[in-house]
């Protein structure tokens, strides 16, 4: 631009024209100042005032956080056989920051179609983490080969979606010991809120029920991760930093896998439970509950249909070994102890039995409706005479019977590690009955209780603990599942039962098998065995069947209790064969190779 022009022929520069030129220059300078000032101010605002925020946004667009979950610890049986481990599986992850929020719906729609997961469910997961999150979010686990192929085919429509391999929980024996082991699953919103302070994060896999929940802290391990720089296509350019994930600790249980299999087979399709434990130290060797479920189902996404089946009226998640039921005539062990220890009846007491007895205007019948004639304690146990124990209960009174019931551990949790799932059972008394029914405790309540009926509720595990008392000479033990649980293994509480009382119990329980209601246990494949049957009235359904036993009778090692819910048969016919099957597995002759191997391992 020329500011002063040279003269031209026929023209003269005037003062007016010069003024116009300076005016234009002045306007241009003002405009320039405003433009440059505006741009400079904006740059200053972005760099100084919002500089840190914008730098963080730019950093987030090229820096990705890749969390690495730890491999969960393994669970072994007492002999080192695997009960729960981990396997590699394909999972789908989203990287929220890869797209703008308004760009995600189309991607999520396609992902929903390929994975058969409602789009709203995926959307909720992303919103919960935040669209600006640089971390990957797991959307699905355990992809099938068909799903992996489909995701690869539509990869151009799935920006921000990745398929990666991670470890998932695996139960190689399927539903075997499912109620003991439990299962694993992702934290829901409520669980996350409760555990956030413990270092848990969204998407964490945690133990649910059973041993998986009880020993979560040992099994979970510690998270690791990588901070990586990526290009525009999401490809890793370099690793900026990393922390190795720390695997969870392995744990060894007291369960014997072979015995567990035998117990599962023995219970079959019966609804109920079987418990086997060491009568001297409380180690749980087997624990079965039916109906059951396959914990492997929870290593992938549970569909609504599958979840509906799992929530059936049969309640497959309930561990019936830890739920209370009327213990029926197995409880006569307690009534015998209370009768002799009260001092009102000697070990040599003989009572006449009857078809029925009328007490306070109520008639209480014997189970055979004929009576058994005169019987002592041992004979009354062998034939399970109701009228004999009605008389004992009436004679000692409710307070004494209730006191001994509690000494045996009824009405309280046993101390097993599955505390959240274990019921305390019920030992009713006068205060409980007044509170529940506004009515006092009566002699009829005591008579009912003397044969394990009425308000009394006991779990199969508590009944097993009861059988261990005469088996080990008079001590209550604490059942446990962790093999190296020194505190539980060494815990024994003497009930201060006289040797004469223990002798009467042992004589009676041995006669049950040798000549009484438990003849199904008197087989050459077993050492001499002692036990007690029970058949509990359970209106409006069919009766429950019980049988408990220990062996060898002279030096007991194992207690087995079988409970068949609403089986409709007697304990000696329905439950005793189950106990026998478990006992036969435990006492089966060892093969020569197994014996040699065992001797070599013995220090």
């Amino acid at each position: 631009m020329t500011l002063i022009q040279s003269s031209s022929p026929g023209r003269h520069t005037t003062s007016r024209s010069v003024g116009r030129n300076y005016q234009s220059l002045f306007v241009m300078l003002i405009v320039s100042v405003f433009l440059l000032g505006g741009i400079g101010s904006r740059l200053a605002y972005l760099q100084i005032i919002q500089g840190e925020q914008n730098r963080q946004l730019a950093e987030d667009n090229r820096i990705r956080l890749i969390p690495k979950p730890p491999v969960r610890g393994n669970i072994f049986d007492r002999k080192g056989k695997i009960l729960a481990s981990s396997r590699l599986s394909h999972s789908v992850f989203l990287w929220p920051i890869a797209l703008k929020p308004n760009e995600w719906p189309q991607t999520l729609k396609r992902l929903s179609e390929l994975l058969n997961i409602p789009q709203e469910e995926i959307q909720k997961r992303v919103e919960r983490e935040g669209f600006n999150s640089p971390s990957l979010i797991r959307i699905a686990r355990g992809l099938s080969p068909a799903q992996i192929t489909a995701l690869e085919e539509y990869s151009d429509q799935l920006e921000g979606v990745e398929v990666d391999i991670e470890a998932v929980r695996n139960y190689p024996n399927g539903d075997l010991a499912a109620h003991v082991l439990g299962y694993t699953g992702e934290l829901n919103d409520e669980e996350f809120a409760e555990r956030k302070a413990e270092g848990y994060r969204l998407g964490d896999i945690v133990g649910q029920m059973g041993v998986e929940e009880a020993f979560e802290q040992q099994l979970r391990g510690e998270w690791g991760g990588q901070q990586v720089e990526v290009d525009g296509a999401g490809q890793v350019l370099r690793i900026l930093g990393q922390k190795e994930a720390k695997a969870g600790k392995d744990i060894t249980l007291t369960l014997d896998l072979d015995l567990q299999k035998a117990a599962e087979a023995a219970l079959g399709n019966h609804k109920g439970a079987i418990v086997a434990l060491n009568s001297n130290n409380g180690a749980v060797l087997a624990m079965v509950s039916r109906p059951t479920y396959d914990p492997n189902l929870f290593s992938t996404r549970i569909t609504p249909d599958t979840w509906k089946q799992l929530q059936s009226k049969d309640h497959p998640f309930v561990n019936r070994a830890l739920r209370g039921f009327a213990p029926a005539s197995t409880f006569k062990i307690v009534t015998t102890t209370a009768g002799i220890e009260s001092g009102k009846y000697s070990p040599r007491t003989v009572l006449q039995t009857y078809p029925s007895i009328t007490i306070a205007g109520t008639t209480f019948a014997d189970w055979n409706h004929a009576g058994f004639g005169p019987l002592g304690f041992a004979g009354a146990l062998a034939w399970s005479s109701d009228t004999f124990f009605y008389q004992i209960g009436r004679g000692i009174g409710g307070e004494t019977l209730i006191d001994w019931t509690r000494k045996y551990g009824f009405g309280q949790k046993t101390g097993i590690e599955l505390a959240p799932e274990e019921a305390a059972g019920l030992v009713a008394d006068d205060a409980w009955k007044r509170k529940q029914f506004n009515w006092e405790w009566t002699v009829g309540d005591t008579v009912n209780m003397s044969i394990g009926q009425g308000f009394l509720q006991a779990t199969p595990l508590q009944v097993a603990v009861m059988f261990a008392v005469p088996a080990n000479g008079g001590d209550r033990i604490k059942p446990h599942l962790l093999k190296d649980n020194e505190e539980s293994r060494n815990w024994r509480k003497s009930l201060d039962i006289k040797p004469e009382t223990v002798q009467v119990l042992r004589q009676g329980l041995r006669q049950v098998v040798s000549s009484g209601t438990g003849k199904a246990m008197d087989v050459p494949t077993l050492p001499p065995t002692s036990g007690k049957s029970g058949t509990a009235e359970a209106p409006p359904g069919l009766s429950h069947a019980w049988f408990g036993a220990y062996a060898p009778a002279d030096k007991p090692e194992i207690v087995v209790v079988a409970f068949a819910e609403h089986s409709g048969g007697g304990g000696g016919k329905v439950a005793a064969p189950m106990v026998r099957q478990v006992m036969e597995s435990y006492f089966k002759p060892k093969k020569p190779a197994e014996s040699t191997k065992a001797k070599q391992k013995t220090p």
Side-chain angles (χ1 to χ4, degrees):
M1 178 183 296
T2 303
L3 298 180
I4 301 177
Q5 299 177 349
S6 58
S7 300
S8 299
R11 289 192 179 183
H12 300 280
T13 303
T14 64
S15 60
R16 183 64 179 166
S17 65
V18 173
R20 287 197 183 100
N21 286 337
Y22 280 108
Q23 185 179 23
S24 300
L25 179 61
F26 180 72
V27 171
M28 292 177 67
L29 286 173
I30 292 175
V31 172
S32 298
V33 169
F34 273 107
L35 288 173
L36 292 173
I39 293 172
S41 299
R42 181 60 178 167
L43 287 172
Y45 175 76
L46 292 174
Q47 292 181 4
I48 299 174
I49 299 177
Q50 283 196 325
E52 182 59 31
Q53 178 180 348
N54 288 320
R55 277 192 296 274
Q56 187 62 49
L57 287 173
E59 194 76 3
D60 287 343
N61 278 308
R62 69 183 185 87
I63 303 300
R64 177 186 300 183
L65 301 177
I66 304 179
K68 295 295 181 183
V71 176
R72 198 168 178 84
N74 298 308
I75 302 176
F76 298 98
D77 88 329
R78 65 188 301 106
K79 297 176 182 176
K81 297 178 181 178
I82 194 71
L83 297 174
S85 60
S86 298
R87 61 178 175 82
L88 297 179
S89 176
H90 287 83
S91 298
V92 178
F93 298 87
L94 296 185
W95 190 27
I97 204 171
L99 296 175
K100 296 178 181 178
N102 61 359
E103 295 174 336
W104 272 112
Q106 189 61 36
T107 299
L108 299 187
K109 182 176 183 297
R110 173 61 70 187
L111 194 61
S112 171
E113 295 169 350
L114 296 175
L115 298 178
N116 194 28
I117 299 176
Q119 183 175 341
E120 297 76 17
E121 183 179 323
I122 304 176
Q123 178 88 14
K124 184 179 179 181
R125 283 176 177 253
V126 179
E127 291 176 347
R128 186 173 59 178
E129 184 74 19
F131 283 99
N132 289 326
S133 173
S135 299
L136 295 175
I137 303 174
R138 184 194 301 105
I139 298 301
R141 297 187 294 157
L143 300 183
S144 67
Q147 288 174 322
I148 296 170
T149 301
L151 289 168
E152 180 64 28
E153 290 178 354
Y154 289 94
S155 59
D156 59 332
Q157 301 178 29
L158 298 172
E159 186 178 352
V161 178
E162 296 185 11
V163 176
D164 203 354
I165 296 176
E166 65 174 347
V168 299
R169 205 56 163 163
N170 180 51
Y171 303 90
N173 301 296
D175 63 6
L176 191 84
H179 292 89
V180 175
L181 298 176
Y183 62 94
T184 60
E186 285 192 33
L187 285 172
N188 59 36
D189 291 344
E190 183 179 340
E191 292 169 334
F192 172 65
E194 293 175 354
R195 299 193 178 194
K196 187 176 181 180
E198 300 174 38
Y200 285 91
R201 50 196 296 163
L202 286 172
D204 267 2
I205 306 299
V206 298
Q208 307 277 3
M209 296 177 57
V211 167
E212 293 280 20
E213 180 181 14
F215 299 105
E216 165 69 14
Q217 295 305 312
Q218 294 97 313
L219 292 167
R220 66 178 289 205
E222 295 180 10
W223 277 78
Q226 290 181 328
Q227 188 179 43
V228 299
E229 182 180 2
V230 298
D231 59 19
Q235 299 298 313
V236 176
L237 298 177
R238 59 177 175 145
I239 298 175
L240 302 177
Q242 76 176 10
K243 175 188 175 184
E244 293 296 329
K246 185 177 180 181
K249 295 179 180 178
D250 296 340
I251 62 173
T252 299
L253 302 183
T254 58
L255 290 185
D256 183 307
L257 181 59
D258 294 330
L259 196 66
Q260 181 74 24
K261 289 179 179 178
E264 303 260 0
L267 187 57
N269 293 324
H270 283 281
K271 186 186 296 184
I274 291 179
V275 175
L277 53 77
N278 184 305
S279 57
N280 299 303
N281 63 26
V284 177
L285 305 175
M287 181 182 287
V288 183
S289 178
R290 287 281 191 273
T292 188
Y293 63 94
D294 185 352
N296 286 303
L297 291 172
F298 296 91
S299 294
T300 59
R301 177 179 174 271
I302 295 291
T303 65
D305 288 341
T306 301
W307 185 248
K308 186 176 181 180
Q309 293 175 6
L310 290 171
Q311 294 294 321
S312 70
K313 63 180 180 180
D314 288 330
H315 306 294
F317 288 110
V318 173
N319 187 346
R320 284 168 166 77
L322 304 179
R323 285 291 177 266
F325 305 91
S329 292
T330 62
F331 183 77
K332 290 171 181 175
I333 291 173
V334 176
T335 307
T336 297
T337 304
I340 299 175
E341 290 296 312
S342 70
K344 294 186 177 181
Y345 298 94
S346 78
R348 294 170 295 282
T349 294
V350 175
L351 298 176
Q352 180 66 35
T353 64
Y354 308 94
S356 63
I357 291 179
T358 300
I359 299 174
T362 302
T363 298
F364 299 88
D366 212 312
W367 68 268
N368 73 343
H369 303 290
F372 297 92
L375 291 175
F377 278 104
L381 285 169
W383 293 108
S384 199
S385 170
D386 292 330
T387 56
F388 180 94
F389 289 101
Y390 291 153
Q391 296 175 73
I392 298 297
R394 179 179 60 180
I396 62 176
E399 288 188 9
T400 299
L401 184 57
I402 290 168
D403 180 53
W404 274 101
T405 303
R406 290 176 175 151
K407 285 182 180 179
Y408 265 87
F410 293 106
Q412 57 192 284
K413 294 188 177 186
T414 64
I416 196 170
E417 295 93 334
L418 309 183
E421 300 163 51
E422 183 182 18
L426 174 62
V427 178
D429 55 16
D430 183 71
W432 178 88
K433 190 179 178 186
R434 288 178 185 276
K435 182 178 179 180
Q436 296 294 322
F437 302 105
N438 195 28
W439 195 258
E440 65 182 1
W441 187 268
T442 67
V443 64
D445 295 322
T446 303
V447 167
N448 260 334
M449 186 176 179
S450 70
I451 63 165
Q453 294 280 176
F455 302 116
L456 184 65
Q457 297 281 297
T459 71
L461 183 61
Q462 289 173 330
V463 173
V465 171
M466 175 190 72
F467 272 96
V469 173
N472 64 39
D475 292 344
R476 203 171 92 212
I477 55 175
K478 181 182 289 187
H480 60 279
L481 286 163
L482 190 65
K483 189 176 181 182
D484 61 0
N485 189 336
E486 291 287 340
E487 187 274 331
S488 293
R489 185 166 56 193
N490 296 324
W491 191 94
R492 287 179 67 144
K493 183 175 183 179
S494 173
L495 300 192
D496 295 323
I497 300 174
K498 298 182 184 70
E500 295 85 353
T501 304
V502 174
Q503 185 178 10
V504 168
L505 287 171
R506 285 190 160 188
Q507 288 175 347
L509 297 176
R510 177 72 190 109
Q511 287 183 33
V512 169
V513 174
S514 63
S515 59
T517 59
K519 285 285 288 179
M521 296 291 297
D522 191 22
V523 292
T525 52
L526 293 179
T529 304
S530 301
K532 183 72 190 77
S533 61
T535 306
E537 296 178 2
L542 299 173
S543 59
H544 302 323
W546 289 89
F547 199 88
Y550 59 80
D554 58 341
K555 194 175 181 181
E557 301 173 12
I558 184 174
V559 167
V560 180
V561 170
F563 166 72
E565 183 179 343
H566 295 303
S567 66
K573 291 183 178 180
V574 175
M578 298 179 184
V579 175
R580 182 185 67 213
Q581 195 169 334
V582 178
M583 289 273 195
E584 286 174 337
S585 175
Y586 180 85
F587 288 108
K588 69 180 178 182
K590 291 182 173 60
K591 296 178 183 179
E594 292 178 352
S595 300
T596 302
K597 189 176 180 181
K599 288 179 181 179
Q600 289 175 348
K601 287 186 176 181
T602 304

